[in-house]
PDB file of all heavy atoms in Angstrom:
ATOM      1  N   GLN A 165      29.541  25.641 -17.430  1.00 94.00           N
ATOM      2  CA  GLN A 165      29.595  24.531 -16.486  1.00 94.00           C
ATOM      3  C   GLN A 165      29.682  25.002 -15.036  1.00 94.00           C
ATOM      4  O   GLN A 165      29.337  24.249 -14.120  1.00 94.00           O
ATOM      5  CB  GLN A 165      30.796  23.635 -16.812  1.00 94.00           C
ATOM      6  CG  GLN A 165      30.575  22.769 -18.043  1.00 94.00           C
ATOM      7  CD  GLN A 165      31.799  21.950 -18.404  1.00 94.00           C
ATOM      8  OE1 GLN A 165      32.914  22.298 -18.044  1.00 94.00           O
ATOM      9  NE2 GLN A 165      31.590  20.864 -19.132  1.00 94.00           N
ATOM     10  N   THR A 166      30.110  26.231 -14.820  1.00 95.00           N
ATOM     11  CA  THR A 166      30.157  26.744 -13.446  1.00 95.00           C
ATOM     12  C   THR A 166      28.762  26.947 -12.866  1.00 95.00           C
ATOM     13  O   THR A 166      28.615  27.140 -11.660  1.00 95.00           O
ATOM     14  CB  THR A 166      30.926  28.077 -13.385  1.00 95.00           C
ATOM     15  OG1 THR A 166      30.228  29.078 -14.143  1.00 95.00           O
ATOM     16  CG2 THR A 166      32.342  27.926 -13.922  1.00 95.00           C
ATOM     17  N   LEU A 167      27.732  26.895 -13.715  1.00 92.00           N
ATOM     18  CA  LEU A 167      26.353  27.015 -13.241  1.00 92.00           C
ATOM     19  C   LEU A 167      25.858  25.721 -12.611  1.00 92.00           C
ATOM     20  O   LEU A 167      24.814  25.715 -11.958  1.00 92.00           O
ATOM     21  CB  LEU A 167      25.426  27.401 -14.400  1.00 92.00           C
ATOM     22  CG  LEU A 167      25.729  28.716 -15.119  1.00 92.00           C
ATOM     23  CD1 LEU A 167      24.825  28.857 -16.343  1.00 92.00           C
ATOM     24  CD2 LEU A 167      25.535  29.898 -14.185  1.00 92.00           C
ATOM     25  N   HIS A 168      26.604  24.634 -12.802  1.00 91.00           N
ATOM     26  CA  HIS A 168      26.153  23.320 -12.367  1.00 91.00           C
ATOM     27  C   HIS A 168      27.079  22.743 -11.299  1.00 91.00           C
ATOM     28  O   HIS A 168      28.276  23.054 -11.273  1.00 91.00           O
ATOM     29  CB  HIS A 168      26.109  22.355 -13.555  1.00 91.00           C
ATOM     30  CG  HIS A 168      25.306  22.852 -14.710  1.00 91.00           C
ATOM     31  ND1 HIS A 168      23.935  22.961 -14.657  1.00 91.00           N
ATOM     32  CD2 HIS A 168      25.668  23.296 -15.947  1.00 91.00           C
ATOM     33  CE1 HIS A 168      23.498  23.435 -15.809  1.00 91.00           C
ATOM     34  NE2 HIS A 168      24.521  23.647 -16.602  1.00 91.00           N
ATOM     35  N   PRO A 169      26.559  21.878 -10.433  1.00 91.00           N
ATOM     36  CA  PRO A 169      27.430  21.175  -9.490  1.00 91.00           C
ATOM     37  C   PRO A 169      28.366  20.233 -10.244  1.00 91.00           C
ATOM     38  O   PRO A 169      28.079  19.831 -11.379  1.00 91.00           O
ATOM     39  CB  PRO A 169      26.449  20.403  -8.601  1.00 91.00           C
ATOM     40  CG  PRO A 169      25.209  20.266  -9.431  1.00 91.00           C
ATOM     41  CD  PRO A 169      25.139  21.510 -10.266  1.00 91.00           C
ATOM     42  N   GLN A 170      29.456  19.856  -9.615  1.00 90.00           N
ATOM     43  CA  GLN A 170      30.476  19.061 -10.296  1.00 90.00           C
ATOM     44  C   GLN A 170      29.943  17.725 -10.782  1.00 90.00           C
ATOM     45  O   GLN A 170      30.382  17.214 -11.825  1.00 90.00           O
ATOM     46  CB  GLN A 170      31.661  18.836  -9.347  1.00 90.00           C
ATOM     47  CG  GLN A 170      32.898  18.270 -10.044  1.00 90.00           C
ATOM     48  CD  GLN A 170      33.419  19.162 -11.152  1.00 90.00           C
ATOM     49  OE1 GLN A 170      33.428  20.383 -11.008  1.00 90.00           O
ATOM     50  NE2 GLN A 170      33.840  18.563 -12.264  1.00 90.00           N
ATOM     51  N   PHE A 171      28.979  17.145 -10.048  1.00 88.00           N
ATOM     52  CA  PHE A 171      28.457  15.844 -10.467  1.00 88.00           C
ATOM     53  C   PHE A 171      27.592  15.940 -11.719  1.00 88.00           C
ATOM     54  O   PHE A 171      27.166  14.928 -12.264  1.00 88.00           O
ATOM     55  CB  PHE A 171      27.683  15.158  -9.331  1.00 88.00           C
ATOM     56  CG  PHE A 171      26.449  15.884  -8.872  1.00 88.00           C
ATOM     57  CD1 PHE A 171      25.255  15.771  -9.550  1.00 88.00           C
ATOM     58  CD2 PHE A 171      26.490  16.676  -7.734  1.00 88.00           C
ATOM     59  CE1 PHE A 171      24.113  16.417  -9.122  1.00 88.00           C
ATOM     60  CE2 PHE A 171      25.351  17.329  -7.288  1.00 88.00           C
ATOM     61  CZ  PHE A 171      24.169  17.203  -7.983  1.00 88.00           C
ATOM     62  N   ARG A 172      27.341  17.175 -12.187  1.00 89.00           N
ATOM     63  CA  ARG A 172      26.596  17.358 -13.429  1.00 89.00           C
ATOM     64  C   ARG A 172      27.504  17.790 -14.581  1.00 89.00           C
ATOM     65  O   ARG A 172      27.017  18.286 -15.598  1.00 89.00           O
ATOM     66  CB  ARG A 172      25.500  18.421 -13.222  1.00 89.00           C
ATOM     67  CG  ARG A 172      24.267  17.895 -12.511  1.00 89.00           C
ATOM     68  CD  ARG A 172      23.495  16.930 -13.385  1.00 89.00           C
ATOM     69  NE  ARG A 172      22.274  16.465 -12.757  1.00 89.00           N
ATOM     70  CZ  ARG A 172      21.437  15.614 -13.327  1.00 89.00           C
ATOM     71  NH1 ARG A 172      21.676  15.144 -14.520  1.00 89.00           N
ATOM     72  NH2 ARG A 172      20.355  15.220 -12.680  1.00 89.00           N
ATOM     73  N   VAL A 173      28.807  17.634 -14.419  1.00 90.00           N
ATOM     74  CA  VAL A 173      29.763  18.062 -15.442  1.00 90.00           C
ATOM     75  C   VAL A 173      30.435  16.837 -16.048  1.00 90.00           C
ATOM     76  O   VAL A 173      31.090  16.061 -15.347  1.00 90.00           O
ATOM     77  CB  VAL A 173      30.822  19.012 -14.847  1.00 90.00           C
ATOM     78  CG1 VAL A 173      31.879  19.354 -15.897  1.00 90.00           C
ATOM     79  CG2 VAL A 173      30.161  20.292 -14.329  1.00 90.00           C
ATOM     80  N   ASP A 174      30.279  16.651 -17.351  1.00 90.00           N
ATOM     81  CA  ASP A 174      30.892  15.563 -18.107  1.00 90.00           C
ATOM     82  C   ASP A 174      30.610  14.211 -17.475  1.00 90.00           C
ATOM     83  O   ASP A 174      31.514  13.403 -17.244  1.00 90.00           O
ATOM     84  CB  ASP A 174      32.407  15.767 -18.252  1.00 90.00           C
ATOM     85  CG  ASP A 174      32.977  14.914 -19.396  1.00 90.00           C
ATOM     86  OD1 ASP A 174      32.229  14.593 -20.326  1.00 90.00           O
ATOM     87  OD2 ASP A 174      34.185  14.588 -19.333  1.00 90.00           O
ATOM     88  N   ARG A 175      29.354  13.968 -17.193  1.00 87.00           N
ATOM     89  CA  ARG A 175      28.903  12.680 -16.672  1.00 87.00           C
ATOM     90  C   ARG A 175      27.821  12.124 -17.603  1.00 87.00           C
ATOM     91  O   ARG A 175      27.421  12.760 -18.564  1.00 87.00           O
ATOM     92  CB  ARG A 175      28.333  12.840 -15.252  1.00 87.00           C
ATOM     93  CG  ARG A 175      29.301  13.455 -14.260  1.00 87.00           C
ATOM     94  CD  ARG A 175      30.484  12.531 -13.957  1.00 87.00           C
ATOM     95  NE  ARG A 175      31.462  13.161 -13.075  1.00 87.00           N
ATOM     96  CZ  ARG A 175      31.407  13.110 -11.756  1.00 87.00           C
ATOM     97  NH1 ARG A 175      30.422  12.456 -11.158  1.00 87.00           N
ATOM     98  NH2 ARG A 175      32.341  13.691 -11.026  1.00 87.00           N
ATOM     99  N   GLU A 176      27.354  10.931 -17.298  1.00 85.00           N
ATOM    100  CA  GLU A 176      26.295  10.327 -18.109  1.00 85.00           C
ATOM    101  C   GLU A 176      25.107  11.263 -18.214  1.00 85.00           C
ATOM    102  O   GLU A 176      24.688  11.878 -17.232  1.00 85.00           O
ATOM    103  CB  GLU A 176      25.854   9.003 -17.485  1.00 85.00           C
ATOM    104  CG  GLU A 176      24.905   8.207 -18.363  1.00 85.00           C
ATOM    105  CD  GLU A 176      24.538   6.868 -17.752  1.00 85.00           C
ATOM    106  OE1 GLU A 176      24.807   6.665 -16.552  1.00 85.00           O
ATOM    107  OE2 GLU A 176      23.975   6.019 -18.471  1.00 85.00           O
ATOM    108  N   TYR A 177      24.581  11.413 -19.415  1.00 84.00           N
ATOM    109  CA  TYR A 177      23.463  12.297 -19.757  1.00 84.00           C
ATOM    110  C   TYR A 177      23.879  13.761 -19.883  1.00 84.00           C
ATOM    111  O   TYR A 177      23.100  14.583 -20.377  1.00 84.00           O
ATOM    112  CB  TYR A 177      22.301  12.198 -18.750  1.00 84.00           C
ATOM    113  CG  TYR A 177      21.801  10.790 -18.539  1.00 84.00           C
ATOM    114  CD1 TYR A 177      21.904  10.184 -17.297  1.00 84.00           C
ATOM    115  CD2 TYR A 177      21.218  10.064 -19.583  1.00 84.00           C
ATOM    116  CE1 TYR A 177      21.453   8.881 -17.094  1.00 84.00           C
ATOM    117  CE2 TYR A 177      20.766   8.774 -19.399  1.00 84.00           C
ATOM    118  CZ  TYR A 177      20.883   8.193 -18.141  1.00 84.00           C
ATOM    119  OH  TYR A 177      20.440   6.909 -17.943  1.00 84.00           O
ATOM    120  N   VAL A 178      25.085  14.130 -19.434  1.00 88.00           N
ATOM    121  CA  VAL A 178      25.521  15.535 -19.518  1.00 88.00           C
ATOM    122  C   VAL A 178      26.988  15.574 -19.965  1.00 88.00           C
ATOM    123  O   VAL A 178      27.808  16.267 -19.373  1.00 88.00           O
ATOM    124  CB  VAL A 178      25.334  16.279 -18.177  1.00 88.00           C
ATOM    125  CG1 VAL A 178      23.882  16.597 -17.937  1.00 88.00           C
ATOM    126  CG2 VAL A 178      25.911  15.464 -17.011  1.00 88.00           C
ATOM    127  N   TYR A 179      27.308  14.867 -21.016  1.00 92.00           N
ATOM    128  CA  TYR A 179      28.688  14.798 -21.477  1.00 92.00           C
ATOM    129  C   TYR A 179      29.158  16.147 -22.019  1.00 92.00           C
ATOM    130  O   TYR A 179      28.391  16.914 -22.605  1.00 92.00           O
ATOM    131  CB  TYR A 179      28.838  13.738 -22.561  1.00 92.00           C
ATOM    132  CG  TYR A 179      28.750  12.323 -22.026  1.00 92.00           C
ATOM    133  CD1 TYR A 179      27.733  11.471 -22.432  1.00 92.00           C
ATOM    134  CD2 TYR A 179      29.691  11.857 -21.117  1.00 92.00           C
ATOM    135  CE1 TYR A 179      27.652  10.176 -21.939  1.00 92.00           C
ATOM    136  CE2 TYR A 179      29.631  10.569 -20.620  1.00 92.00           C
ATOM    137  CZ  TYR A 179      28.606   9.727 -21.036  1.00 92.00           C
ATOM    138  OH  TYR A 179      28.535   8.459 -20.536  1.00 92.00           O
ATOM    139  N   SER A 180      30.435  16.412 -21.843  1.00 94.00           N
ATOM    140  CA  SER A 180      31.052  17.658 -22.279  1.00 94.00           C
ATOM    141  C   SER A 180      31.270  17.661 -23.792  1.00 94.00           C
ATOM    142  O   SER A 180      31.692  16.659 -24.375  1.00 94.00           O
ATOM    143  CB  SER A 180      32.400  17.836 -21.565  1.00 94.00           C
ATOM    144  OG  SER A 180      33.197  18.803 -22.199  1.00 94.00           O
ATOM    145  N   LEU A 181      30.996  18.808 -24.429  1.00 94.00           N
ATOM    146  CA  LEU A 181      31.274  18.945 -25.856  1.00 94.00           C
ATOM    147  C   LEU A 181      32.776  18.844 -26.115  1.00 94.00           C
ATOM    148  O   LEU A 181      33.217  18.165 -27.033  1.00 94.00           O
ATOM    149  CB  LEU A 181      30.749  20.285 -26.367  1.00 94.00           C
ATOM    150  CG  LEU A 181      29.238  20.462 -26.481  1.00 94.00           C
ATOM    151  CD1 LEU A 181      28.911  21.897 -26.866  1.00 94.00           C
ATOM    152  CD2 LEU A 181      28.660  19.500 -27.509  1.00 94.00           C
ATOM    153  N   ARG A 182      33.557  19.534 -25.302  1.00 94.00           N
ATOM    154  CA  ARG A 182      35.004  19.567 -25.529  1.00 94.00           C
ATOM    155  C   ARG A 182      35.688  18.242 -25.213  1.00 94.00           C
ATOM    156  O   ARG A 182      36.667  17.877 -25.871  1.00 94.00           O
ATOM    157  CB  ARG A 182      35.641  20.666 -24.673  1.00 94.00           C
ATOM    158  CG  ARG A 182      35.274  22.069 -25.100  1.00 94.00           C
ATOM    159  CD  ARG A 182      36.204  23.055 -24.414  1.00 94.00           C
ATOM    160  NE  ARG A 182      35.818  24.427 -24.637  1.00 94.00           N
ATOM    161  CZ  ARG A 182      36.511  25.471 -24.186  1.00 94.00           C
ATOM    162  NH1 ARG A 182      37.605  25.259 -23.474  1.00 94.00           N
ATOM    163  NH2 ARG A 182      36.107  26.708 -24.417  1.00 94.00           N
ATOM    164  N   GLU A 183      35.183  17.523 -24.219  1.00 92.00           N
ATOM    165  CA  GLU A 183      35.851  16.307 -23.771  1.00 92.00           C
ATOM    166  C   GLU A 183      35.292  15.036 -24.387  1.00 92.00           C
ATOM    167  O   GLU A 183      36.037  14.076 -24.613  1.00 92.00           O
ATOM    168  CB  GLU A 183      35.763  16.209 -22.236  1.00 92.00           C
ATOM    169  CG  GLU A 183      36.418  17.351 -21.493  1.00 92.00           C
ATOM    170  CD  GLU A 183      37.918  17.415 -21.702  1.00 92.00           C
ATOM    171  OE1 GLU A 183      38.514  16.378 -22.083  1.00 92.00           O
ATOM    172  OE2 GLU A 183      38.497  18.490 -21.494  1.00 92.00           O
ATOM    173  N   SER A 184      33.994  14.990 -24.665  1.00 93.00           N
ATOM    174  CA  SER A 184      33.367  13.703 -24.968  1.00 93.00           C
ATOM    175  C   SER A 184      32.493  13.692 -26.214  1.00 93.00           C
ATOM    176  O   SER A 184      31.877  12.669 -26.504  1.00 93.00           O
ATOM    177  CB  SER A 184      32.515  13.255 -23.756  1.00 93.00           C
ATOM    178  OG  SER A 184      33.291  13.227 -22.583  1.00 93.00           O
ATOM    179  N   SER A 185      32.416  14.790 -26.945  1.00 94.00           N
ATOM    180  CA  SER A 185      31.567  14.796 -28.145  1.00 94.00           C
ATOM    181  C   SER A 185      32.229  14.005 -29.272  1.00 94.00           C
ATOM    182  O   SER A 185      33.447  13.768 -29.268  1.00 94.00           O
ATOM    183  CB  SER A 185      31.329  16.236 -28.612  1.00 94.00           C
ATOM    184  OG  SER A 185      32.555  16.836 -29.016  1.00 94.00           O
ATOM    185  N   ASN A 186      31.444  13.580 -30.248  1.00 94.00           N
ATOM    186  CA  ASN A 186      31.991  12.863 -31.401  1.00 94.00           C
ATOM    187  C   ASN A 186      33.007  13.734 -32.136  1.00 94.00           C
ATOM    188  O   ASN A 186      34.042  13.239 -32.603  1.00 94.00           O
ATOM    189  CB  ASN A 186      30.864  12.463 -32.357  1.00 94.00           C
ATOM    190  CG  ASN A 186      29.997  11.353 -31.800  1.00 94.00           C
ATOM    191  OD1 ASN A 186      30.439  10.575 -30.944  1.00 94.00           O
ATOM    192  ND2 ASN A 186      28.774  11.268 -32.269  1.00 94.00           N
ATOM    193  N   PHE A 187      32.702  15.031 -32.233  1.00 95.00           N
ATOM    194  CA  PHE A 187      33.629  15.944 -32.904  1.00 95.00           C
ATOM    195  C   PHE A 187      34.989  15.953 -32.200  1.00 95.00           C
ATOM    196  O   PHE A 187      36.043  15.830 -32.831  1.00 95.00           O
ATOM    197  CB  PHE A 187      33.045  17.356 -32.922  1.00 95.00           C
ATOM    198  CG  PHE A 187      34.016  18.414 -33.361  1.00 95.00           C
ATOM    199  CD1 PHE A 187      34.320  18.575 -34.708  1.00 95.00           C
ATOM    200  CD2 PHE A 187      34.639  19.238 -32.425  1.00 95.00           C
ATOM    201  CE1 PHE A 187      35.237  19.543 -35.125  1.00 95.00           C
ATOM    202  CE2 PHE A 187      35.546  20.209 -32.831  1.00 95.00           C
ATOM    203  CZ  PHE A 187      35.848  20.359 -34.179  1.00 95.00           C
ATOM    204  N   SER A 188      34.968  16.091 -30.876  1.00 95.00           N
ATOM    205  CA  SER A 188      36.211  16.140 -30.117  1.00 95.00           C
ATOM    206  C   SER A 188      36.963  14.811 -30.178  1.00 95.00           C
ATOM    207  O   SER A 188      38.197  14.782 -30.328  1.00 95.00           O
ATOM    208  CB  SER A 188      35.913  16.505 -28.657  1.00 95.00           C
ATOM    209  OG  SER A 188      37.096  16.676 -27.918  1.00 95.00           O
ATOM    210  N   ASN A 189      36.235  13.707 -30.095  1.00 95.00           N
ATOM    211  CA  ASN A 189      36.883  12.391 -30.152  1.00 95.00           C
ATOM    212  C   ASN A 189      37.506  12.132 -31.522  1.00 95.00           C
ATOM    213  O   ASN A 189      38.622  11.594 -31.625  1.00 95.00           O
ATOM    214  CB  ASN A 189      35.876  11.291 -29.820  1.00 95.00           C
ATOM    215  CG  ASN A 189      35.470  11.299 -28.354  1.00 95.00           C
ATOM    216  OD1 ASN A 189      36.227  11.750 -27.496  1.00 95.00           O
ATOM    217  ND2 ASN A 189      34.285  10.795 -28.063  1.00 95.00           N
ATOM    218  N   ASP A 190      36.793  12.508 -32.584  1.00 95.00           N
ATOM    219  CA  ASP A 190      37.343  12.326 -33.933  1.00 95.00           C
ATOM    220  C   ASP A 190      38.579  13.193 -34.137  1.00 95.00           C
ATOM    221  O   ASP A 190      39.562  12.765 -34.771  1.00 95.00           O
ATOM    222  CB  ASP A 190      36.282  12.672 -34.979  1.00 95.00           C
ATOM    223  CG  ASP A 190      35.158  11.655 -35.033  1.00 95.00           C
ATOM    224  OD1 ASP A 190      35.338  10.547 -34.497  1.00 95.00           O
ATOM    225  OD2 ASP A 190      34.093  11.969 -35.600  1.00 95.00           O
ATOM    226  N   TRP A 191      38.538  14.405 -33.614  1.00 95.00           N
ATOM    227  CA  TRP A 191      39.692  15.306 -33.726  1.00 95.00           C
ATOM    228  C   TRP A 191      40.899  14.722 -32.988  1.00 95.00           C
ATOM    229  O   TRP A 191      42.032  14.755 -33.482  1.00 95.00           O
ATOM    230  CB  TRP A 191      39.321  16.668 -33.135  1.00 95.00           C
ATOM    231  CG  TRP A 191      40.389  17.726 -33.273  1.00 95.00           C
ATOM    232  CD1 TRP A 191      41.574  17.792 -32.607  1.00 95.00           C
ATOM    233  CD2 TRP A 191      40.351  18.870 -34.132  1.00 95.00           C
ATOM    234  NE1 TRP A 191      42.278  18.908 -32.977  1.00 95.00           N
ATOM    235  CE2 TRP A 191      41.556  19.591 -33.912  1.00 95.00           C
ATOM    236  CE3 TRP A 191      39.423  19.363 -35.041  1.00 95.00           C
ATOM    237  CZ2 TRP A 191      41.849  20.781 -34.574  1.00 95.00           C
ATOM    238  CZ3 TRP A 191      39.709  20.557 -35.711  1.00 95.00           C
ATOM    239  CH2 TRP A 191      40.904  21.241 -35.483  1.00 95.00           C
ATOM    240  N   ARG A 192      40.658  14.164 -31.806  1.00 94.00           N
ATOM    241  CA  ARG A 192      41.737  13.591 -31.005  1.00 94.00           C
ATOM    242  C   ARG A 192      42.383  12.401 -31.719  1.00 94.00           C
ATOM    243  O   ARG A 192      43.603  12.218 -31.682  1.00 94.00           O
ATOM    244  CB  ARG A 192      41.187  13.182 -29.642  1.00 94.00           C
ATOM    245  CG  ARG A 192      42.256  12.780 -28.634  1.00 94.00           C
ATOM    246  CD  ARG A 192      41.644  12.420 -27.296  1.00 94.00           C
ATOM    247  NE  ARG A 192      41.138  13.589 -26.582  1.00 94.00           N
ATOM    248  CZ  ARG A 192      39.850  13.864 -26.390  1.00 94.00           C
ATOM    249  NH1 ARG A 192      38.920  13.044 -26.881  1.00 94.00           N
ATOM    250  NH2 ARG A 192      39.480  14.939 -25.725  1.00 94.00           N
ATOM    251  N   ILE A 193      41.550  11.593 -32.385  1.00 95.00           N
ATOM    252  CA  ILE A 193      42.080  10.449 -33.137  1.00 95.00           C
ATOM    253  C   ILE A 193      42.929  10.921 -34.315  1.00 95.00           C
ATOM    254  O   ILE A 193      43.999  10.367 -34.607  1.00 95.00           O
ATOM    255  CB  ILE A 193      40.923   9.556 -33.631  1.00 95.00           C
ATOM    256  CG1 ILE A 193      40.238   8.872 -32.432  1.00 95.00           C
ATOM    257  CG2 ILE A 193      41.408   8.508 -34.623  1.00 95.00           C
ATOM    258  CD1 ILE A 193      38.976   8.125 -32.796  1.00 95.00           C
ATOM    259  N   LYS A 194      42.470  11.973 -34.967  1.00 94.00           N
ATOM    260  CA  LYS A 194      43.163  12.458 -36.166  1.00 94.00           C
ATOM    261  C   LYS A 194      44.427  13.238 -35.834  1.00 94.00           C
ATOM    262  O   LYS A 194      45.462  13.082 -36.492  1.00 94.00           O
ATOM    263  CB  LYS A 194      42.215  13.332 -36.984  1.00 94.00           C
ATOM    264  CG  LYS A 194      42.821  13.833 -38.284  1.00 94.00           C
ATOM    265  CD  LYS A 194      41.796  14.615 -39.096  1.00 94.00           C
ATOM    266  CE  LYS A 194      42.388  15.091 -40.427  1.00 94.00           C
ATOM    267  NZ  LYS A 194      41.382  15.848 -41.226  1.00 94.00           N
ATOM    268  N   TRP A 195      44.352  14.099 -34.788  1.00 94.00           N
ATOM    269  CA  TRP A 195      45.451  15.017 -34.518  1.00 94.00           C
ATOM    270  C   TRP A 195      46.212  14.712 -33.224  1.00 94.00           C
ATOM    271  O   TRP A 195      47.227  15.347 -32.937  1.00 94.00           O
ATOM    272  CB  TRP A 195      44.927  16.454 -34.449  1.00 94.00           C
ATOM    273  CG  TRP A 195      44.273  16.903 -35.720  1.00 94.00           C
ATOM    274  CD1 TRP A 195      42.936  17.040 -35.953  1.00 94.00           C
ATOM    275  CD2 TRP A 195      44.925  17.250 -36.947  1.00 94.00           C
ATOM    276  NE1 TRP A 195      42.695  17.457 -37.241  1.00 94.00           N
ATOM    277  CE2 TRP A 195      43.908  17.598 -37.884  1.00 94.00           C
ATOM    278  CE3 TRP A 195      46.257  17.310 -37.355  1.00 94.00           C
ATOM    279  CZ2 TRP A 195      44.190  17.991 -39.186  1.00 94.00           C
ATOM    280  CZ3 TRP A 195      46.544  17.703 -38.663  1.00 94.00           C
ATOM    281  CH2 TRP A 195      45.514  18.039 -39.560  1.00 94.00           C
ATOM    282  N   GLY A 196      45.715  13.781 -32.429  1.00 94.00           N
ATOM    283  CA  GLY A 196      46.442  13.384 -31.232  1.00 94.00           C
ATOM    284  C   GLY A 196      46.224  14.256 -30.021  1.00 94.00           C
ATOM    285  O   GLY A 196      46.880  14.070 -28.993  1.00 94.00           O
ATOM    286  N   SER A 197      45.329  15.202 -30.113  1.00 93.00           N
ATOM    287  CA  SER A 197      45.043  16.088 -28.976  1.00 93.00           C
ATOM    288  C   SER A 197      43.632  16.641 -29.116  1.00 93.00           C
ATOM    289  O   SER A 197      43.025  16.585 -30.191  1.00 93.00           O
ATOM    290  CB  SER A 197      46.051  17.243 -28.899  1.00 93.00           C
ATOM    291  OG  SER A 197      45.953  18.075 -30.051  1.00 93.00           O
ATOM    292  N   ARG A 198      43.126  17.182 -28.027  1.00 91.00           N
ATOM    293  CA  ARG A 198      41.798  17.794 -28.053  1.00 91.00           C
ATOM    294  C   ARG A 198      41.845  19.105 -28.817  1.00 91.00           C
ATOM    295  O   ARG A 198      42.829  19.850 -28.714  1.00 91.00           O
ATOM    296  CB  ARG A 198      41.331  18.050 -26.623  1.00 91.00           C
ATOM    297  CG  ARG A 198      39.885  18.476 -26.500  1.00 91.00           C
ATOM    298  CD  ARG A 198      39.595  18.987 -25.103  1.00 91.00           C
ATOM    299  NE  ARG A 198      40.239  20.274 -24.872  1.00 91.00           N
ATOM    300  CZ  ARG A 198      40.185  20.950 -23.737  1.00 91.00           C
ATOM    301  NH1 ARG A 198      39.561  20.441 -22.710  1.00 91.00           N
ATOM    302  NH2 ARG A 198      40.783  22.111 -23.624  1.00 91.00           N
TER     303      ARG A 198
END
Side-chain angles (χ1 to χ4, degrees):
Q165 285 177 337
T166 64
L167 300 173
H168 306 290
Q170 192 59 40
F171 63 82
R172 281 291 183 180
V173 175
D174 199 26
R175 303 292 176 88
E176 188 177 14
Y177 306 117
V178 285
Y179 288 117
S180 164
L181 289 174
R182 291 193 187 183
E183 299 296 339
S184 305
S185 64
N186 289 336
F187 169 78
S188 185
N189 290 334
D190 290 344
W191 184 289
R192 189 179 288 109
I193 292 172
K194 183 176 182 180
W195 300 105
S197 64
R198 189 192 71 181

